[in-house]
Amino acid sequence: MKNEIRVFAPASVSNIACGFDVMGFAIDEPGDEIVLRISERPGVTITKITGENGRLPLEAELNTAGAPLLSMIDKLHITCGIEMEIHKKMPLGSGLGSSAASAVGAAFALNELLDLGLSKEELLPFAIEGEKIASGSVHADNVAPCLYGGFVLIRGYNPIIDVVEIEVPENLYCTVIHPQIEISTKEARKILPKTIPLSDAITQWGNTAGLVAGLLKKDFGLIGRSLQDVVIEPVRSMLIPGFDEIKKAAMDSGALGCSISGSGPSVFALSSSLQTAVETGKSMKTALERFGLSGEVYVSKINKNGPRIIELK
Ligand code: HSE
């Protein structure tokens, strides 16, 4: 029987311009690390959280990584106690699925440590328990890509979450810039319109379908034309200094498309080569710096693996 596990769970880009709450993909970095140990003390004890300046709660039921564990212990009748360390390797409120990474990391780690044999489909509802705490709503567009890896479509949420894995072209690259400001997902959801004009809905669902078709057909032109968001981006981009200039810089560098990552402030672009993705990152950074903000840039392919074990002993 193993006693301790350390896992990595990746950041993710959700919405992907046109697919608010229904699409996301995982990226290689950044990501969170979770350590679990079997303990004699019943329940879940969070012993350490690093990388977030003491802002996350140590009470398991209030913590995005603690809630999934409590739910698993309860529903699966697990009798041993669990100690957890959470190492945040990405900023809170970044639009990179930070809370989802912690929730997925915890659920994945417990499954592996106790050899529970749960499938990804079975782990998903537990991980979503954590996301609910963080954003006040049930959306799986960070949790599902983080857990499954790759590009994921959430076709619907009722009666169960219907996750569809979409194959992506091999040479599809993502550039993400994270401006050094924070946006709360809860707040960024409150400012969204409750209803939208039918004409906007038509544009949006045409693009959503177009993006999925473009990925499956490996048609970069179609992918690029579909990376448009007429519903969410016009509202939320106002929260990101220099958004229009960052987007223009990405498009001028040859990116296929560019929009807000999740609820922001991170901005992502997709490109059809590594060279374009790297150049795009440099241009986005220069554009952001003109607005007096620095930004961390990440370039990777779509991460096909999801969470992984770093150490099991
Ligand atoms: N789809 C979510 C949103 C992702 O944009 O609010 C952020 O968690």
Side-chain angles (χ1 to χ4, degrees):
M1 171 110 159
K2 304 289 183 186
N3 184 53
E4 180 179 320
I5 189 167
R6 177 182 286 263
V7 306
F8 169 88
S12 50
V13 172
S14 58
N15 299 340
I16 318 180
C18 47
F20 178 69
D21 275 1
V22 300
M23 293 197 295
F25 58 78
I27 54 177
D28 282 346
E29 55 157 0
D32 285 349
E33 286 183 20
I34 302 284
V35 179
L36 298 187
R37 274 179 219 100
I38 294 176
S39 152
E40 283 172 8
R41 190 170 159 182
V44 177
T45 311
I46 301 176
T47 54
K48 193 194 266 189
I49 310 180
T50 65
E52 40 65 88
N53 295 323
R55 294 172 54 201
L56 293 178
L58 285 163
E59 295 88 346
E61 64 279 11
L62 303 178
N63 185 289
T64 54
L69 295 185
L70 287 172
S71 179
M72 288 172 84
I73 286 174
D74 177 40
K75 298 222 168 68
L76 305 174
H77 311 295
I78 292 168
T79 48
C80 65
I82 298 294
E83 257 179 39
M84 173 161 59
E85 289 177 18
I86 304 166
H87 300 285
K88 298 298 297 179
K89 306 273 178 172
M90 62 178 129
L92 309 182
S94 59
L96 292 172
S98 169
S99 51
S102 291
V104 166
F108 171 79
L110 190 64
N111 190 39
E112 297 294 330
L113 179 64
L114 301 184
D115 217 358
L116 299 173
L118 298 186
S119 64
K120 289 174 178 176
E121 291 74 18
E122 290 166 324
L123 280 177
L124 184 65
F126 293 116
I128 285 176
E129 296 289 324
E131 183 69 303
K132 257 192 248 170
I133 290 182
S135 67
S137 70
V138 179
H139 54 269
D141 53 339
N142 285 111
V143 169
C146 176
L147 178 61
Y148 284 66
F151 187 110
V152 165
L153 163 71
I154 296 116
R155 190 211 52 81
Y157 287 82
N158 286 311
I160 54 159
I161 299 177
D162 190 358
V163 175
V164 185
E165 295 174 81
I166 307 286
E167 209 174 299
V168 298
E170 200 46 51
N171 48 339
L172 186 68
Y173 288 84
C174 174
T175 308
V176 173
I177 185 161
H178 170 238
Q180 309 292 302
I181 55 169
E182 191 176 316
I183 292 178
S184 129
T185 296
K186 265 185 203 160
E187 297 306 315
R189 292 180 81 84
K190 277 189 201 153
I191 62 171
L192 297 177
K194 298 283 174 285
T195 57
I196 59 170
L198 182 61
S199 56
D200 284 353
I202 292 168
T203 304
Q204 201 81 352
W205 61 54
N207 283 326
T208 310
L211 178 54
V212 171
L215 291 167
L216 293 175
K217 291 168 71 149
K218 308 190 189 325
D219 180 338
F220 287 113
L222 179 55
I223 293 171
R225 293 198 299 285
S226 306
L227 286 169
Q228 311 279 349
D229 174 9
V230 296
V231 176
I232 308 295
E233 184 184 298
V235 183
R236 283 187 174 167
S237 59
M238 289 185 279
L239 304 174
I240 304 171
F243 174 79
D244 291 344
E245 287 74 8
I246 297 168
K247 180 168 177 170
K248 181 171 185 313
M251 298 312 290
D252 288 350
S253 299
L256 300 166
C258 172
S259 188
I260 303 168
S261 174
S263 53
S266 291
V267 177
F268 81 97
L270 289 178
S271 300
S272 57
S273 77
L274 176 60
Q275 192 187 344
T276 307
V278 170
E279 285 307 315
T280 296
K282 287 181 193 159
S283 318
M284 291 165 97
K285 192 170 169 65
T286 306
L288 176 67
E289 283 168 355
R290 282 199 208 104
F291 288 81
L293 285 177
S294 60
E296 196 79 39
V297 175
Y298 304 95
V299 176
S300 78
K301 282 191 174 183
I302 310 302
N303 170 332
K304 293 189 181 158
N305 305 317
R308 62 182 156 79
I309 298 171
I310 298 173
E311 197 178 17
L312 179 59
K313 58 186 184 188

